Amino acid sequence: MPAGAVPAALGANWTGTGVEFALFSAHAEAVELCLFDEDAPAERARVPLERTGDTWHARLEGVGPGQLYGYRVHGPYEPLAGHRFNPNKLLLDPHARLLSGAIRWDDATYGFLPDAEEADLSFSESDSAPFMPRCVVVDPAFDWRGDAPPRRPWSETLIYEAHVRGLTRLHPGIPPELRGTYEALGHPAIVAHLQRLGVTAIELLPIHAFADDRFLVQRGLTNYWGYSSLGFFAPEARYLGPAGLPGLKEAVRVLHRAGIEVILDVVYNHTAELEETGPTLSFRGIDNAVYYKPAPGDPRRTFNCTGCGNSLDLSRPAVVRHVLDSLRLWVEEYHVDGFRFDLASTLARNPYDFDPECPFFAQLAADPVLGRVKLIAEPWDIGEGGYRLGGFPPGWGEWNDLFRDPVRRFWRGEEGQVPGLVRAIAGSREIFEPSGRGPCASVNYVASHDGYTLADLVAYERRHNWANGEENRDGHGHNHSWNCGVEGPTDDPAVRALRARQKRNLLATAMLAQGVPMLLMGDELSRSQGGNNNAYCQDNPTAWLDWERGAEEDPALPDFVAYLADIRRSHAALRRTGFLYGIPDPGTGLKDVHWLKPDGGEIAAGEWQDEHRRALGMVLGSDAPDGRMLFALLNSGDAAIRFAVPGLGAAGWAPLLDTGIPTGRPDAPERTCQAGGTFIVEPRSVILFRGIKQTG
């Protein structure tokens, strides 16, 4: 590149003989590149950058991978106008590919004097460099050896939500030096476990570089979940193993070879710099007025619809470009297959209200790289109008809390839950059809990282979050959970048996529903967090998966989950791309779904509001391309119910699944229920039959 030419990409890009440095700032007056030696508290050199438009840049020959650097940015310190430049603060490159070290919290990391009156209007002259991480120049080269993305259709997808460290930290089959690292994700023990379960995609909690918030460090805790981003281009360094960055790429390659996609949970809605009284670490000192959305009519304050102090302003082209560049890097350089967007409603606020035609959505859909990966929204934030389930564009999936909550409430035995349960099982047509999407837009789950684990969902009715240091005030207060009669651990065999059945009922409902099922890490091994439903700061055995204890707690549960996945994979009726309408076929008179009462009759329009209904039957698959029909019975009541066995195109029905059996496999699968007969469904059970075709 000729001297003075603008680099093609922002960040620090190694050319083979030197490094091109480039930084965006629209309002800066000068930018200095700071070069550091290992472990040095202060920079050994400052290099002034040249400005072309809003890009500040320089090319340094003889500099290469491993070079540590940061920036100092000069400009107006005018908080009332939204400008918070302070060259006394060492700033992280928003495009850095790797960070070295952690923040050592000190008042010097703030652009103002924290103890001053109207503190954020004051100006700090303390140098933050001794307390800041360093950016690292990296060589992105890697031999992918013919890697190709699995490109699983949504209809064939089973997601497993996991944490890099939590999944692998205690696995006895993984070498100690690899446990808790990216490399462990590709270890044969992890891959084999995922394959055994039938998982087709692993969704990783945030691996973008993130901060341990100051208030957590003061409590002796860490930001375990990682929802406090420092940079969107750098993998979190605490998960690096002996192989470094290539270890993450190798893990992706190995998972792909096993047919498993990799989805990243990404946090583009806010950063670790918090509100206007937060630290100056990167974006705030580079161009606060561009990167952060100001409060309406008050540039001094940050608009906070995330609950985390600030909101990135994706109504601005430069910020949209930044996020798209980050997403593209993860697809092109790390070969990831998709993204789950945390508090995704924030990304579509244009400028303050949710706009389904916002610039970010439009450019994302049109991007030739990003337009072909999986996109999943957490379809809400905490701001006004932020709950937007069903409001995302075609091609997106969405976490569906209107699946989670009715299913939980039905199985805990609440009355009046059948209508919501049926809507959820049928793919939430009322929610997703208006946007032109099918049932695969619904990501169905009963447990996720945010809340109780599956085991705790059936063992606790009250949160037990004292270890978080917030006097048990944090976390959800309404979880629709049921402890089955005893709060927490118990040796009572009846309670333990009921909990085992309830876990299977919840899992079966998620796996037999239309849409895309998602499992939480360790639910197949009865992982418990001791009733902590907000373990975001518990980087310890509370949140790690104890593989050995899990295997002892309910040894047949992994086989049950694997069997559910096999049933789903084997029956096209469970993996529809179009909604169920319940309209009779003109030729056969059969419907794509029949909702049945215990007497065998269909539930009529006026009967859905029966508050006391706790059981129903479902027949589907008469129109399935593989001709395989299914008959499901669900009973959340305390008493057994006798169901009339329907015909509806089948000569009879053979048992396929029983949640009262540890493995789910019926003891006598050859036993057939003849049409016109009856079948007794035990309390709190799911029974599934396969249809036997009529002959003649």
Side-chain angles (χ1 to χ4, degrees):
M1 183 182 76
V6 182
L10 297 172
N13 297 287
W14 187 50
T15 66
T17 60
V19 178
E20 297 173 357
F21 293 91
L23 182 76
F24 164 86
S25 181
H27 297 101
E29 296 171 351
V31 176
E32 295 174 301
L33 168 67
C34 302
L35 301 178
F36 290 85
D37 293 328
E38 191 76 29
D39 298 326
E43 56 266 51
R44 63 173 168 79
R46 294 190 187 185
V47 180
L49 268 58
E50 179 182 349
R51 180 172 191 169
T52 303
D54 292 335
T55 301
W56 300 80
H57 54 95
R59 174 168 179 158
L60 300 185
E61 291 295 334
V63 174
Q67 175 63 57
L68 305 179
Y69 73 100
Y71 289 107
R72 296 183 186 272
V73 181
H74 301 253
Y77 191 80
E78 300 172 0
L80 296 178
H83 299 304
R84 295 183 177 274
F85 294 98
N86 187 335
N88 299 299
K89 309 305 164 185
L90 182 72
L91 304 175
L92 300 175
D93 179 1
H95 283 74
R97 305 291 184 86
L98 183 65
L99 301 183
S100 176
I103 300 169
R104 295 170 49 222
W105 287 111
D106 185 270
D107 285 353
T109 59
Y110 294 78
F112 53 88
L113 303 171
D115 295 329
E117 187 175 353
E118 290 199 275
D120 73 292
L121 298 182
S122 64
F123 185 80
S124 168
E125 296 184 357
S126 300
D127 185 4
S128 69
F131 309 100
M132 286 291 292
R134 312 294 192 235
C135 305
V136 186
V137 175
V138 303
D139 179 0
F142 181 75
D143 181 5
W144 284 97
R145 287 172 280 171
D147 176 64
R151 297 208 187 285
R152 295 273 191 175
W154 278 109
S155 60
E156 297 177 8
T157 297
L158 171 57
I159 298 172
Y160 187 86
E161 189 196 25
H163 187 283
V164 171
R165 191 196 299 277
L167 177 64
T168 64
R169 182 65 179 80
L170 298 178
H171 197 295
I174 297 176
E177 68 273 14
L178 298 184
R179 294 175 190 170
T181 72
Y182 298 120
E183 290 168 64
L185 294 173
H187 189 275
I190 297 297
V191 175
H193 181 72
L194 297 177
Q195 289 181 309
R196 174 192 180 191
L197 297 178
V199 167
T200 69
I202 184 169
E203 181 177 303
L204 299 175
L205 266 67
I207 64 168
H208 286 168
F210 60 87
D212 291 321
D213 307 87
R214 189 173 191 175
F215 73 92
L216 289 176
V217 173
Q218 290 171 341
R219 295 177 191 166
L221 300 169
T222 61
N223 193 323
Y224 170 66
W225 283 353
Y227 291 92
S228 190
S229 299
L230 273 177
F232 302 129
F233 291 70
E236 172 53 45
R238 72 187 74 187
Y239 304 143
L240 292 176
L245 288 179
L248 172 55
K249 296 178 179 180
E250 178 62 16
V252 173
R253 192 190 71 81
V254 170
L255 288 165
H256 280 180
R257 190 175 61 193
I260 298 171
E261 295 180 312
V262 178
I263 298 172
L264 301 186
D265 191 337
V266 288
V267 190
Y268 294 112
N269 57 79
H270 75 280
T271 77
E273 291 182 303
L274 309 178
E275 59 278 337
E276 63 275 2
T277 55
T280 295
L281 309 171
S282 179
F283 302 93
R284 175 162 289 139
I286 291 170
D287 207 328
N288 181 75
V290 170
Y291 279 111
Y292 293 123
K293 194 181 294 290
D298 187 1
R300 174 185 176 185
R301 310 293 183 190
T302 55
F303 179 68
N304 179 15
C305 62
T306 64
C308 302
N310 64 57
S311 306
L312 281 185
D313 193 351
L314 271 82
S315 65
R316 294 184 176 274
V319 184
V320 172
R321 175 192 173 186
H322 183 77
V323 172
L324 292 175
D325 284 351
S326 167
L327 293 169
R328 213 175 289 112
L329 173 132
W330 287 98
V331 174
E332 293 181 326
E333 290 198 12
Y334 289 91
H335 288 204
V336 305
D337 305 281
F339 304 93
R340 179 267 189 187
F341 294 85
D342 179 64
L343 300 181
S345 294
T346 300
L347 310 180
R349 290 185 177 270
N350 186 32
Y352 294 101
D353 295 330
F354 182 90
D355 177 7
E357 298 180 355
C358 67
F360 176 61
F361 286 172
Q363 293 187 43
L364 189 58
D367 190 281
V369 173
L370 303 175
R372 64 175 186 261
V373 302
K374 286 185 167 69
L375 305 174
I376 302 171
E378 182 184 36
W380 49 76
D381 62 24
I382 70 164
E384 183 177 355
Y387 183 80
R388 291 290 170 168
L389 179 65
F392 285 74
W396 284 68
E398 300 182 33
W399 274 27
N400 188 354
D401 63 331
L402 291 184
F403 178 93
R404 177 196 66 195
D405 294 348
V407 170
R408 288 183 177 186
R409 296 177 72 180
F410 175 79
W411 285 113
R412 73 183 292 208
E414 289 188 34
E415 294 186 337
Q417 298 305 310
V418 167
L421 174 76
V422 166
R423 287 191 292 268
I425 292 175
S428 301
R429 176 165 60 90
E430 299 81 1
I431 296 171
F432 297 109
E433 190 175 48
S435 61
R437 291 179 288 169
C440 290
S442 179
V443 176
N444 300 330
Y445 64 103
V446 292
S448 70
H449 73 275
D450 192 1
Y452 284 135
T453 66
L454 178 67
D456 288 353
L457 190 62
V458 300
Y460 294 92
E461 293 185 7
R462 302 183 303 276
R463 61 192 176 200
H464 296 260
N465 299 356
W466 296 99
N468 295 354
E470 300 180 43
E471 299 183 349
N472 206 35
R473 294 191 301 265
D474 62 302
H476 296 297
H478 302 284
N479 299 279
H480 310 300
S481 60
W482 179 45
N483 63 20
C484 297
V486 177
E487 186 75 0
T490 181
D491 292 327
D492 186 321
V495 173
R496 291 173 64 88
L498 178 56
R499 289 177 177 176
R501 185 181 292 234
Q502 285 289 87
K503 285 183 292 184
R504 286 161 173 78
N505 291 334
L506 289 159
L507 288 167
T509 308
M511 295 285 269
L512 300 179
Q514 303 300 319
V516 178
M518 183 180 79
L519 303 173
L520 172 62
M521 173 191 86
D523 278 354
E524 75 282 5
L525 291 168
S526 297
R527 181 175 70 91
S528 172
Q529 294 178 165
N532 190 324
N533 73 351
N534 190 34
Y536 76 102
C537 55
Q538 300 297 323
D539 189 3
N540 53 53
T542 296
W544 299 341
L545 174 52
D546 186 337
W547 292 80
E548 294 179 331
R549 177 194 173 277
E552 297 168 358
E553 182 69 20
D554 191 341
L557 192 55
D559 286 334
F560 179 84
V561 174
Y563 184 49
L564 279 176
D566 182 63
I567 291 173
R568 183 176 181 84
R569 187 168 50 247
S570 302
H571 292 81
L574 300 174
R575 298 181 283 101
R576 298 173 61 97
T577 57
F579 285 111
L580 299 165
Y581 288 95
I583 300 173
D585 180 271
T588 66
L590 298 175
K591 302 176 181 180
D592 52 16
V593 63
H594 297 260
W595 303 105
L596 305 178
K597 297 177 292 186
D599 64 8
E602 291 198 67
I603 301 174
E607 296 177 314
W608 283 105
Q609 301 310 315
D610 181 354
E611 291 288 316
H612 302 296
R613 190 180 303 282
R614 301 273 292 275
L616 77 157
M618 175 183 69
V619 173
L620 73 163
S622 63
D623 63 339
D626 58 3
R628 309 188 76 178
M629 295 181 63
L630 294 170
F631 171 36
L633 296 171
L634 296 85
N635 178 14
S636 67
D638 295 321
I641 294 181
R642 183 181 296 274
F643 266 86
V645 178
L648 299 176
W653 304 89
L656 186 62
L657 174 76
D658 185 343
T659 58
I661 297 172
T663 63
R665 297 176 183 270
D667 296 326
E670 72 284 351
R671 176 187 170 196
T672 300
C673 295
Q674 297 299 324
T678 60
F679 185 89
I680 295 176
V681 183
E682 296 299 320
R684 302 192 184 276
S685 294
V686 176
I687 308 294
L688 184 68
F689 301 86
R690 60 176 176 84
I692 299 174
K693 292 182 180 181
Q694 295 176 336
T695 59

